[in-house]
Amino acid sequence: MMAGERSPASCYLDERTFRLCCRLFLQHSETIQDGWSWEQIKGTDEGFMKKTVLLPVKSSVLHKQHGCFMQAENMDLLTDDIQANVEDETAGVQAVCEIHAVLRYEYHVLYSCSYQIPVLYFRASTLDGNPLSLEEVWSNVHPNYRQRLQQGPWDTLTQQEHPLLGQPFFMLHPCRTEEFMKPALDLAQAENKRVNYIVSWLSVVGPVVGLDVPLSYCTEVSAPD
Amino acid sequence: MTELDSANRSWTLISAETETWRLASDGKKCVKNQTSVLMAAESTAAPKLQFSPFFSALEAGFWHQLTQKKLNDYHLDESPKNIKGYYYNGDPDGLPTRLTLEFSAFDADGPTPARCCPAPGTLYNTNTLEAFKTTDKKALLDKAADEIWSAIQSGAALDDSSILNKFILLTFADLKKYHFYYWFCFPALCFLEGVQLVQEPRSLEKSFSDTQISSLTAAYDSLCSSSGTTALPHFLMKYTDDSVEVAPLKDLNAFFPDLKKIAVCVYDPCTLPQHPGWPLRNLLFLIAKTWGSQLDVLEVLCFRDRTLQGSRSVRHSIIFRVKLPDLSVSAVCPKSVGWEKNPKGAMGPRSVNLSECMDPKRLAESSVDLNLKLMRWRLVPSLDLDKVVSTKCLLLGAGTLGCNVARTLMGWGVRHITFVDNAKISYSNPVRQPLYEFEDCLSGGKAKALAAVDRLQKIFPGVNAEGHNMSIPMPGHPVSFSESTTAQARHDVEQLEKLISEHDVVFLLMDTRESRWLPTVIAASQRKLIVNAALGFDTFVVMRHGLKKAKEPQSEESSPMSASSSSSCSSTPASTVTPGASLFSNIPGHRLGCYFCNDVVAPGDSTRDRTLDQQCTVSRPGLAMIAGALAVELMVSVLQHPEGGYAVASSSDDRMNEPPTSLGLVPHQIRGFLARFDNVLPASLAFDKCTACSQVVLENYEREGFQFLAKVFNSSHSFLEDLTGLTLLHQETQAAEIWDMSDDDSI
Ligand SMILES: [Zn+2]
């Protein structure tokens, strides 16, 4: 992009501004206990913003999709082998399989040096750490939203290695960030308001992957000076 | 377990619908529903306290980190390791009481998430499944219980009460299959007779005034901040009508002048209205051991502190009174329990299969699939990806075209790719044939068909590739030198027939013209789609052969020639390409011609071959990539058409019209002219005197099989020309060339 073409309201932000925006964002999260935290990678100055959300789902749905007893036979054998060794103080108690019916969504906000914008990584798993496929994530998106999401940034979801953790995550590819950030930033500029980039951006991309960003962020979180 | 027997009698389960999940505490028959109404029957014996056990909750990152530790750190070391989990008292209703381990669990001294309580753990990672099975679980539990008991006896647990929440994790990591076996234990010391409830649990808002509740919250926050933490696992409380004071657990003697009636608070991860979570158990033991002799009644506050939509509340905390036995003189470590049940509710380990997110091969497969699905999502709902991915492709030729076709097929997610080639890789190949490397040329060179398979598997292990190092018999190339050469040719034909029948699409990617004849005949007879690509120096043709109608006699075609050029070389006689010729528009797939339909000579006589294909083995280097890619894209477009190979051919004219598929046009041929950087899309009719796909050829092949084919291989080109009537045509049109004439088998 040529410098002359760039709008005064830049869709890019440098890493320092990213961190400042995150700090203000985290302060508000702390106030309303929204669950965001800064995760520092041990022994480096790198880090990311993280939130974990637990979602109860109907266990039957999950079982069908996920096969939570993938190795059921296998495990029965294993259990028979060692059962004698452990006192079962709850013999006769009914199965407690329903506990599986919780999904855990992890959201990570990272800074991308190459795109100079924040990037949203996420993954979903059952409580034992077994990750869900994108289809399973998709099937948990409310049908009312699906059609809208298919046109939205959902189609830029890819599977990527987390740059700091080296584990597979889903990522909303940054290639379309400018597309939806520019109108928001232009509008704010027209109204002479200073907005926190992270707040504006996350309010748009978060709901796409089930991440709720309370309205109070928009009113309470300021832009860095 | 007797601690619950009486409880069972005195609790009545009134309703049990709308289950979220059931919780089994450490007692018998304690399955209760969270949303059900539990009522104490007051007339019977005093109820006993029941606890909601921890459920282990593991983040995917924990398994990744365990894998790293095992590979880089632990190796075969099975000694116990310190790890760390945490629990949280701010859950909304409906979530299970969890002990969570993240990827940071291995950093035992690292920070704990805000407002969470740490739990110290010991990891026993075994090297074998056998060791995992045979590890003495009871001994592990006894050892941990003994540590807790010792810390209670010595008073160490008063100074650092987190020892009360100690847990054990036994694991076996099968890193070949990425299966993890694990079993958690949350050791809890047991009161022999249970814990007797003096006053049943009720919510704090029913016991405390608003003033008391806000005073408690403020006092707790203040104690947290003076302790330099954001969560306190245990603390003390005393209150008057209008104020609440709190203090650290270790200040108990100073805080309560009268030890007969004291109140302790526990940070409680449970959300059930009638039950405390697991962490209370060992705290009660600490109190019974340390102050049991003086204590009359103990008041317990299960402190629950949640913020929903920015609004904080501790009102749903529960408070109750219990009578503790006096354990002050007891010196023997009490009985303990704590191994977690598996998802089936039995005492047994759990397992998780993480091959989907850890096995690099599976990761490659899911990433490839996902990228394709994204393409589909953009074109929803019309792109039928499964049709493409499941197509079995036979690539005849593993040279420049074959390599490029294979790579493009992989890009489309095609999994089943078979190569046929009889050449070896030579030094000039790797720079143009992207599946080969210099090393492949050494010692005489590897067989292309086999090396190509190896490379595909390296590029993408999920591919189902196969290679056949074999020759394809050709017209005019006699096979009748000996019995063995005939037998070999017969075998090769049978093999090719078998391969074609086992695949859905046949790609003709050889560098000679006549080698395309046999597969053209066989595929036409078997009604298999052929995609053919051929290169000149700076021209190419990519085409789909017409797909004959199933089991119906071919209708006579009167049109002798097509509107397009007859060969890929620009110097061929029939290069009368007329872009946009509407005369041949709307030709249905079954009437489209094959590669040989445009020719007035039969393939085969290599010494007199009139086409320049063979002479054009040197082409501009980009040409094979362009043509190879177009061949695959043509196949994909054909597959997307509801009529597949029978689809009406799109022509250059149709470029302005509504495309017949979600991917666009479905042409018969794409002829490219690199010098002009131009492509045209001619369509041509099948030729009734075609030496490959005409009815008479197919009939002879189907009737006589190898007998017929052998005649074609062993004869000069005039055999086919006579058979199809081309000879006659030539004579009639006074063709200027001199042909080898033969009377054999003329019709
Ligand atoms: Zn033909």
Side-chain angles (χ1 to χ4, degrees):
Chain A
M1 178 186 291
M2 286 164 67
E5 286 174 358
R6 193 180 288 188
S7 146
S10 172
C11 290
Y12 303 93
L13 83 166
D14 58 60
E15 188 162 8
R16 193 178 150 273
T17 315
F18 170 78
R19 296 253 177 148
L20 289 173
C21 285
C22 285
R23 193 179 299 166
L24 293 164
F25 186 94
L26 288 165
Q27 276 170 12
H28 183 64
S29 167
E30 172 64 24
T31 312
I32 63 166
Q33 289 194 34
D34 193 32
W36 286 94
S37 63
W38 184 263
E39 297 285 326
Q40 194 82 22
I41 299 295
K42 210 184 172 189
T44 72
D45 62 350
E46 293 185 292
F48 55 91
M49 225 165 59
K50 174 185 174 184
K51 179 178 179 175
T52 303
V53 178
L54 294 174
L55 195 71
V57 292
K58 279 189 186 149
S59 60
S60 53
V61 175
L62 195 64
H63 283 195
K64 199 171 55 199
Q65 292 166 7
H66 211 250
C68 88
F69 302 125
M70 217 171 302
Q71 316 151 274
E73 290 168 34
N74 208 353
M75 290 307 292
D76 280 347
L77 284 175
L78 187 52
T79 304
D80 290 347
D81 267 8
I82 53 188
Q83 196 157 32
N85 203 353
V86 175
E87 186 179 349
D88 178 7
E89 70 159 0
T90 58
V93 172
Q94 274 183 270
V96 287
C97 188
E98 284 83 351
I99 59 159
H100 263 262
V102 177
L103 296 183
R104 182 197 350 245
Y105 286 78
E106 262 183 82
Y107 300 99
H108 295 191
V109 172
L110 277 78
Y111 182 72
S112 162
C113 287
S114 40
Y115 288 93
Q116 295 185 40
I117 46 171
V119 185
L120 181 62
Y121 287 79
F122 80 100
R123 67 178 163 196
S125 63
T126 48
L127 276 188
D128 56 8
N130 204 349
L132 269 61
S133 68
L134 198 56
E135 273 111 335
E136 287 165 331
V137 173
W138 176 248
S139 68
N140 283 298
V141 172
H142 195 278
N144 291 354
Y145 288 108
R146 287 187 195 163
Q147 188 141 32
R148 193 164 56 94
L149 291 184
Q150 272 169 346
Q151 282 120 44
W154 183 272
D155 64 1
T156 67
L157 271 178
T158 56
Q159 190 173 311
Q160 294 267 318
E161 217 171 65
H162 191 293
L164 299 178
L165 299 180
Q167 299 162 11
F169 270 74
F170 299 118
M171 178 186 93
L172 272 174
H173 200 270
C175 60
R176 285 176 64 181
T177 304
E178 185 174 6
E179 198 176 299
F180 55 78
M181 277 305 284
K182 202 171 176 308
L185 294 171
D186 284 349
L187 182 69
Q189 198 174 47
E191 294 174 352
N192 215 8
K193 276 196 301 196
R194 296 180 64 244
V195 296
N196 182 301
Y197 192 103
I198 296 294
V199 173
S200 310
W201 167 76
L202 208 53
S203 310
V204 177
V205 300
V208 172
V209 292
L211 172 63
D212 187 38
V213 182
L215 204 61
S216 63
Y217 280 98
C218 295
T219 53
E220 300 298 320
V221 181
S222 57
D225 293 322
Chain B
M1 293 42 39
T2 50
E3 71 182 300
L4 287 153
D5 287 345
S6 56
N8 288 327
R9 264 178 269 123
S10 55
W11 294 91
T12 312
L13 192 62
I14 304 272
S15 99
E17 45 198 18
T18 62
E19 294 191 333
T20 46
W21 43 72
R22 297 168 182 153
L23 300 169
S25 85
D26 66 320
K28 288 178 181 162
K29 288 243 186 88
C30 52
V31 174
K32 290 197 178 66
N33 194 293
Q34 188 185 347
T35 54
S36 68
V37 180
L38 295 164
M39 292 186 64
E42 282 164 25
S43 58
T44 56
K48 303 213 171 173
L49 195 57
Q50 290 177 291
F51 306 87
S52 163
F54 268 129
F55 293 128
S56 56
L58 294 146
E59 287 199 353
F62 174 84
W63 297 119
H64 283 275
Q65 196 64 21
L66 175 62
T67 305
Q68 291 305 310
K69 287 279 180 188
K70 167 79 183 162
L71 291 174
N72 306 324
D73 232 1
Y74 303 162
H75 302 296
L76 292 179
D77 177 8
E78 286 188 327
S79 66
K81 306 287 186 302
N82 289 330
I83 54 171
K84 198 179 85 168
Y86 65 84
Y87 57 101
Y88 181 49
N89 71 341
D91 281 335
D93 289 342
L95 290 177
T97 307
R98 298 172 319 284
L99 184 80
T100 302
L101 271 68
E102 297 184 351
F103 69 96
S104 57
F106 298 88
D107 184 10
D109 303 321
T112 304
R115 284 186 200 79
C116 293
C117 274
T122 305
L123 172 72
Y124 296 90
N125 184 47
T126 63
N127 287 326
T128 62
L129 186 57
E130 193 54 30
F132 178 86
K133 287 184 197 171
T134 55
T135 297
D136 187 344
K137 318 304 185 289
K138 186 168 186 314
L140 287 188
L141 172 59
D142 288 348
K143 183 168 177 290
D146 203 53
E147 274 176 57
I148 296 169
W149 177 245
S150 303
I152 289 175
Q153 277 189 309
S154 71
L158 271 182
D159 290 324
D160 179 7
S161 59
S162 66
I163 178 77
L164 300 179
N165 294 317
K166 188 178 170 53
F167 70 91
I168 299 165
L169 173 55
L170 178 66
T171 55
F172 166 63
D174 180 347
L175 297 185
K176 283 197 186 77
K177 292 180 185 157
Y178 302 96
H179 285 190
F180 296 83
Y181 300 84
Y182 66 102
W183 203 352
F184 269 91
C185 179
F186 312 106
L189 307 177
C190 295
F191 290 101
L192 217 56
E193 299 298 327
V195 176
Q196 193 179 325
L197 267 171
V198 176
Q199 188 185 72
E200 283 156 36
R202 53 201 294 211
S203 68
L204 191 62
E205 62 189 341
K206 284 185 182 149
S207 308
F208 274 32
S209 67
D210 287 353
T211 316
Q212 285 173 313
I213 290 174
S214 44
S215 177
L216 166 66
T217 312
Y220 173 77
D221 287 350
S222 153
L223 182 58
C224 280
S225 89
S226 66
S227 313
T229 178
T230 56
L232 288 166
H234 316 100
F235 55 99
L236 307 167
M237 171 177 78
K238 62 186 174 189
Y239 53 91
T240 63
D241 282 349
D242 47 23
S243 82
V244 177
E245 282 178 68
V246 299
L249 189 63
K250 62 175 186 284
D251 293 353
L252 191 134
N253 281 310
F255 192 63
F256 294 111
D258 174 11
L259 288 174
K260 274 192 172 357
K261 182 179 172 300
I262 65 175
V264 294
C265 308
V266 62
Y267 176 101
D268 186 28
C270 183
T271 59
L272 300 178
Q274 293 288 341
H275 301 276
W278 209 246
L280 178 60
R281 296 190 67 152
N282 291 334
L283 175 66
L284 291 181
F285 235 89
L286 168 69
I287 290 165
K289 173 70 190 162
T290 317
W291 295 287
S293 60
Q294 301 153 75
L295 198 61
D296 191 8
V297 169
L298 176 70
E299 188 159 43
V300 177
L301 170 69
C302 292
F303 188 64
R304 301 170 182 180
D305 181 2
R306 73 180 166 210
T307 302
L308 293 176
Q309 280 142 10
S311 150
R312 179 183 179 188
S313 171
V314 302
R315 307 171 71 86
H316 59 295
S317 300
I318 59 170
I319 192 163
F320 51 86
R321 288 184 190 157
V322 294
K323 174 107 181 95
L324 288 184
D326 175 10
L327 295 180
S328 54
V329 292
S330 162
V332 188
C333 180
K335 206 178 95 63
S336 55
V337 295
W339 287 101
E340 189 183 21
K341 291 181 168 187
N342 67 15
K344 289 179 151 183
M347 295 303 292
R350 294 163 178 254
S351 76
V352 56
N353 176 358
L354 294 189
S355 57
E356 289 293 341
C357 70
M358 285 193 172
D359 184 344
K361 291 181 182 180
R362 301 286 280 276
L363 273 177
E365 285 185 35
S366 62
S367 294
V368 167
D369 281 348
L370 185 53
N371 272 345
L372 289 164
K373 273 169 202 146
L374 292 173
M375 179 155 62
R376 186 183 63 189
W377 271 329
R378 288 177 195 222
L379 293 163
V380 155
S382 44
L383 182 60
D384 186 351
L385 206 52
D386 290 342
K387 228 178 198 174
V388 179
V389 171
S390 64
T391 298
K392 295 174 181 164
C393 296
L394 177 63
L395 277 57
L396 303 181
T400 46
L401 278 167
C403 286
N404 285 296
V405 164
R407 296 218 64 143
T408 315
L409 286 172
M410 299 251 277
W412 268 105
V414 173
R415 295 285 161 86
H416 195 119
I417 299 173
T418 303
F419 293 99
V420 170
D421 204 310
N422 66 346
K424 288 185 162 53
I425 302 163
S426 70
Y427 287 110
S428 67
N429 292 154
V431 293
R432 279 177 180 244
Q433 303 181 8
L435 295 179
Y436 311 125
E437 290 174 357
F438 169 74
E439 298 282 331
D440 299 327
C441 315
L442 302 178
S443 321
K446 295 180 183 165
K448 281 186 177 178
L450 308 181
V453 169
D454 288 346
R455 194 52 41 86
L456 287 199
Q457 277 160 353
K458 273 188 187 151
I459 293 166
F460 180 63
V463 76
N464 177 10
E466 214 179 89
H468 296 268
N469 184 25
M470 58 174 269
S471 322
I472 296 173
M474 297 181 277
H477 293 248
V479 297
S480 54
F481 303 113
S482 70
E483 262 176 44
S484 76
T485 54
T486 305
Q488 181 65 44
R490 184 191 293 276
H491 178 262
D492 289 341
V493 168
E494 282 167 2
Q495 179 75 357
L496 188 64
E497 285 169 334
K498 181 167 176 284
L499 283 171
I500 289 173
S501 74
E502 288 167 352
H503 289 78
D504 304 309
V505 178
V506 182
F507 283 88
L508 303 187
L509 309 166
M510 304 86 138
D511 52 9
T512 66
R513 172 174 193 76
E514 60 263 40
S515 60
R516 297 168 198 256
W517 180 82
L518 179 62
T520 299
V521 173
I522 297 172
S525 170
Q526 292 189 15
R527 310 301 192 249
K528 297 280 184 174
L529 182 66
I530 281 192
V531 175
N532 184 9
L535 305 176
F537 167 67
D538 60 359
T539 61
F540 65 82
V541 60
V542 170
M543 67 186 294
R544 56 177 167 125
H545 285 186
L547 191 58
K548 308 290 181 200
K549 275 192 173 168
K551 302 291 164 199
E552 272 180 18
Q554 190 62 21
S555 59
E556 291 297 311
E557 299 295 348
S558 54
S559 173
M561 303 292 282
S562 81
S564 60
S565 70
S566 63
S567 132
S568 57
C569 276
S570 49
S571 52
T572 46
S575 60
T576 53
V577 177
T578 47
S582 55
L583 185 61
F584 299 100
S585 58
N586 296 322
I587 305 174
H590 72 277
R591 293 185 63 200
L592 289 170
C594 80
Y595 186 60
F596 296 94
C597 278
N598 300 327
D599 293 338
V600 290
V601 291
D605 189 336
S606 50
T607 54
R608 288 174 173 256
D609 198 342
R610 280 159 183 83
T611 77
L612 296 179
D613 276 357
Q614 284 168 288
Q615 295 162 37
C616 292
T617 50
V618 177
S619 45
R620 286 179 64 168
L623 212 58
M625 299 184 193
I626 298 171
L630 284 174
V632 174
E633 298 298 340
L634 176 60
M635 174 198 86
V636 173
S637 290
V638 169
L639 292 175
Q640 290 308 303
H641 195 284
E643 293 174 60
Y646 296 112
V648 167
S650 314
S651 70
S652 299
D653 282 351
D654 295 322
R655 281 170 169 158
M656 307 305 289
N657 300 335
E658 181 70 21
T661 77
S662 60
L663 292 176
L665 301 182
V666 188
H668 176 218
Q669 305 173 27
I670 304 142
R671 288 184 180 252
F673 306 89
L674 197 53
R676 305 202 310 261
F677 292 97
D678 189 23
N679 292 344
V680 296
L681 308 179
S684 58
L685 287 163
F687 178 31
D688 66 342
K689 296 180 173 58
C690 174
T691 54
C693 75
S694 61
Q695 198 183 349
V696 62
V697 173
L698 294 182
E699 275 171 5
N700 272 276
Y701 163 67
E702 283 161 14
R703 192 173 59 239
E704 295 177 31
F706 183 73
Q707 291 261 294
F708 166 72
L709 296 175
K711 272 186 251 173
V712 176
F713 302 147
N714 295 330
S715 312
S716 70
H717 58 84
S718 59
F719 171 73
L720 278 172
E721 290 170 5
D722 292 345
L723 177 71
T724 57
L726 269 180
T727 311
L728 205 60
L729 186 71
H730 292 148
Q731 287 164 347
E732 285 171 358
T733 57
Q734 301 291 307
E737 305 275 349
I738 299 161
W739 310 96
D740 283 340
M741 301 295 264
S742 164
D743 293 327
D744 297 347
D745 295 311
S746 61
I747 52 170

